[in-house]
Amino acid sequence: MTTDALHRGGAGGSGGSAPPEPALLKVDQLTRHFKIGNALSRRTLHAVDDVSFTVGEREIVALAGESGSGKSTIARVLARIYEPTSGTIAFGGRDLRTYKSRKDRLAYSGEVPMVFQDPFASINPVFRVSHGILRSLKLHRPDLSAQQRREEAARAFEVVGLNPQMLERFPYELSGGQRQRVGFAQALAMRPKLILADEPVSMLDVSIRIGLLNLMAKLRDEEGVSILYITHDIASARYVADRLIVLYAGHIAEAGPIEDVLSAPKHPYTQLLLSAVPDPTAPLTEITDRGEPPRVVDPEPGCRFRWRCPLAIETCARVTPRLSELAPGHAVACHVAATGAEVKAFTS
């Protein structure tokens, strides 16, 4: 299964057409392992294994999965916080391994900024809100004068729905939703092409999450910014994303246009995620889940979901499933689904 196949069928914003080629971001067979233990019992944690996907222009791609699935690790590799163990990443057609000089690294981090999960932790509480955004502008856009940096900061605040006067406030004077908007403003001020949004709404009240999701859609549609949206919330992904990539234990389980994936999920794990979304109109039913945690420390070959899957067959214990395209742009890594059999493991 190639990244080009995963790229086909993306909604590409609100227009509903496939995003243009080549992809803005192309990740090919990305792997990230961590060494754990001591010298006498050295083991390897497989955080991400052989992950391939793309993000197109003006597109929101959601990476969804439970805690420990590898979502945030992928974001941190893309942000160059971690180096990949293997695999390649190309941004704008250029391999990230060629970004070696300080100038190149600053240019990349300005075009691909990250918005973190905890908005308060990403803002220095000692300084006014303006400190962080003006410092970023001075670092990433040195061509701007002090006055122009002020104007750009005010513009970014207005785009994300904040009054520019809030630049003079301290972080503790803002609400959680306002602080998260500050994070998006800091990213937007650098005129990015792609924003890595790591669980940006998970720490916010439900009543204000919709505002942040609408903001992400606005940045895509009006500012032309692509977003890699990391989340464990399928409902929010469905609201804002064009394509969905479902991760489990460091592997891609399923990927495709979000409505195709959620209306006809082919992987048992995707069905499990959907069954956990409350439906007030549905009758109460008991969902059977064996609850075995994924085994990602020195894992054996085979499907990593087999310990929880009621449909597991003998092949699942021996062979790691590969992504196969069951419909245009809709790929699944499941031995049972690949046979063409109807997959109904979990229902809500």
Side-chain angles (χ1 to χ4, degrees):
M1 179 65 191
T2 65
T3 53
D4 291 333
L6 281 180
H7 189 55
R8 294 195 304 269
S14 59
S17 60
E21 295 287 355
L24 177 63
L25 176 74
K26 184 174 182 179
V27 177
D28 191 26
Q29 296 182 318
L30 177 65
T31 296
R32 173 64 195 188
H33 296 165
F34 295 92
K35 296 297 183 181
I36 60 175
N38 52 40
L40 300 178
S41 61
R42 181 69 68 186
R43 297 183 296 171
T44 302
L45 171 65
H46 290 233
V48 178
D49 269 326
D50 196 22
V51 167
S52 299
F53 65 91
T54 61
V55 180
E57 298 278 357
R58 292 177 177 265
E59 184 179 33
I60 298 178
V61 176
L63 277 178
E66 62 193 16
S67 297
S69 61
K71 309 184 301 296
S72 294
T73 299
I74 291 174
R76 280 160 173 73
V77 171
L78 295 178
R80 309 201 75 173
I81 298 173
Y82 300 148
E83 289 296 322
T85 302
S86 63
T88 61
I89 303 169
F91 178 72
R94 181 180 176 184
D95 194 320
L96 249 62
R97 291 173 294 189
T98 66
Y99 286 77
K100 295 182 179 180
S101 68
R102 182 175 185 272
K103 180 180 179 181
D104 283 346
R105 287 177 172 269
L106 282 175
Y108 175 77
S109 61
E111 291 184 320
V112 189
M114 191 166 180
V115 176
F116 294 92
Q117 179 178 7
D118 184 356
F120 195 76
S122 61
I123 305 173
N124 193 325
V126 176
F127 297 98
R128 299 182 189 275
V129 171
S130 60
H131 172 79
I133 190 169
L134 293 177
R135 186 170 181 270
S136 296
L137 284 169
K138 186 175 183 179
L139 184 65
H140 294 281
R141 300 180 63 184
D143 55 305
L144 299 181
S145 65
Q147 179 60 31
Q148 288 173 324
R149 289 196 293 270
R150 277 278 174 184
E151 293 173 355
E152 182 64 18
R155 183 198 72 86
F157 263 48
E158 289 179 343
V159 170
V160 301
L162 294 176
N163 190 317
Q165 294 179 352
M166 290 184 176
L167 283 163
E168 300 309 314
R169 294 187 182 180
F170 286 94
Y172 68 84
E173 297 180 291
L174 305 179
S175 67
Q178 289 172 333
R179 287 196 291 265
Q180 196 59 282
R181 287 175 184 267
V182 169
F184 276 101
Q186 288 180 337
L188 186 63
M190 293 181 279
R191 300 296 175 113
K193 295 181 179 178
L194 171 68
I195 293 178
L196 307 173
D198 187 9
E199 300 270 13
V201 301
S202 63
M203 297 185 68
L204 304 177
D205 293 338
V206 174
S207 59
I208 58 177
R209 288 183 186 180
I210 191 69
L212 266 297
L213 296 175
N214 286 334
L215 171 61
M216 287 194 288
K218 176 183 177 181
L219 295 181
R220 173 196 61 195
D221 298 336
E222 298 181 9
E223 300 293 323
V225 179
S226 297
I227 298 175
L228 184 65
Y229 174 42
I230 287 84
T231 183
H232 62 268
D233 183 1
I234 290 291
S236 68
R238 185 171 205 162
Y239 182 81
V240 75
D242 303 310
R243 285 190 294 124
L244 175 65
I245 299 172
V246 179
L247 290 172
Y248 183 78
H251 282 164
I252 293 181
E254 189 164 359
I258 192 159
E259 287 301 329
D260 292 352
V261 173
L262 297 185
S263 62
K266 303 299 183 183
H267 197 284
Y269 177 60
T270 308
Q271 296 179 7
L272 178 61
L273 288 180
L274 284 173
S275 69
V277 178
D279 182 359
T281 64
L284 292 177
T285 57
E286 182 179 351
I287 300 171
T288 303
D289 176 18
R290 300 177 188 179
E292 284 280 347
R295 304 182 182 186
V296 293
V297 177
D298 295 330
E300 300 175 352
C303 177
R304 294 179 185 176
F305 188 64
R306 68 185 186 273
W307 311 104
R308 301 168 67 179
C309 182
L311 302 180
I313 58 178
E314 190 269 340
T315 306
C316 300
R318 296 185 294 102
V319 181
T320 302
R322 309 291 295 181
L323 278 172
S324 58
E325 197 171 21
L326 302 185
H330 189 168
V332 184
C334 176
H335 293 302
V336 177
T339 65
E342 183 180 7
V343 177
K344 267 194 174 181
F346 302 94
T347 56
S348 57

